[in-house]
């Protein structure tokens, strides 16, 4: 099922660039956004990713606000939002997971991210 579009939303250029390269090598289409505003604008403009990888701490519109906007978009399927961040407490993780948002804590590896993406896409294929 390679070729699915993944949206990476992270202001850490080094991490985002590395993850971009890894995802491309594994056959995914990839779009980058450095802010929540950029991510929301991309989706509003017609870019509909299979999975969104969202950091929470970014300049401008942060990840929480952007997640709230993206969750309301009916084109994004449930389970397609994955938070990838170092800035969460345990209760925050539980709150996000209760909303159907997966959480990956940084530091992490691209291999771990690939596994999460595959899990989301495989679950969707089984629906």
């Amino acid at each position: 099922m390679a070729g699915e579009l993944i949206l990476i939303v992270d202001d850490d250029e080094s991490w985002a660039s590395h993850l971009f390269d890894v995802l491309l090598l594994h056959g995914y289409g990839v779009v980058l956004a450095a802010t929540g505003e950029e991510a929301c604008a991309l989706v509003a403009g017609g870019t509909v990713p299979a999975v969104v990888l969202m950091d929470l701490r970014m300049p401008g519109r942060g990840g929480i606000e952007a997640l709230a906007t993206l969750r309301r978009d009916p084109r994004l399927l449930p389970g397609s939002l994955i938070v990838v961040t170092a800035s969460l407490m345990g209760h925050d993780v539980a709150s996000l997971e209760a909303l159907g948002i997966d959480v990956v804590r940084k530091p992490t590896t691209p291999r771990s991210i690939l596994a999460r993406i595959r899990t989301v896409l495989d679950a969707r294929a089984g629906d």
Side-chain angles (χ1 to χ4, degrees), residues 17-99:
S17 176
H18 179 63
L19 191 54
F20 180 93
D21 292 342
V22 169
L23 293 172
L24 280 180
L25 283 171
H26 283 82
Y28 293 102
V30 188
V31 178
L32 292 174
T35 66
E37 291 100 344
E38 234 181 283
C40 291
L42 282 167
V43 173
T47 300
V48 182
V51 175
V52 177
L53 303 172
M54 173 82 68
D55 189 17
L56 293 182
R57 302 255 181 205
M58 295 175 286
R61 181 184 217 174
I64 295 288
E65 187 180 342
L67 283 170
T69 299
L70 294 175
R71 278 192 74 242
R72 291 190 298 268
D73 191 312
R75 297 170 299 160
L76 296 178
L77 297 174
S80 64
L81 301 173
I82 301 174
V83 168
V84 183
T85 191
S87 28
L88 281 179
M89 305 301 262
H91 66 282
D92 295 324
V93 172
S95 296
L96 288 168
E97 288 175 343
L99 295 172

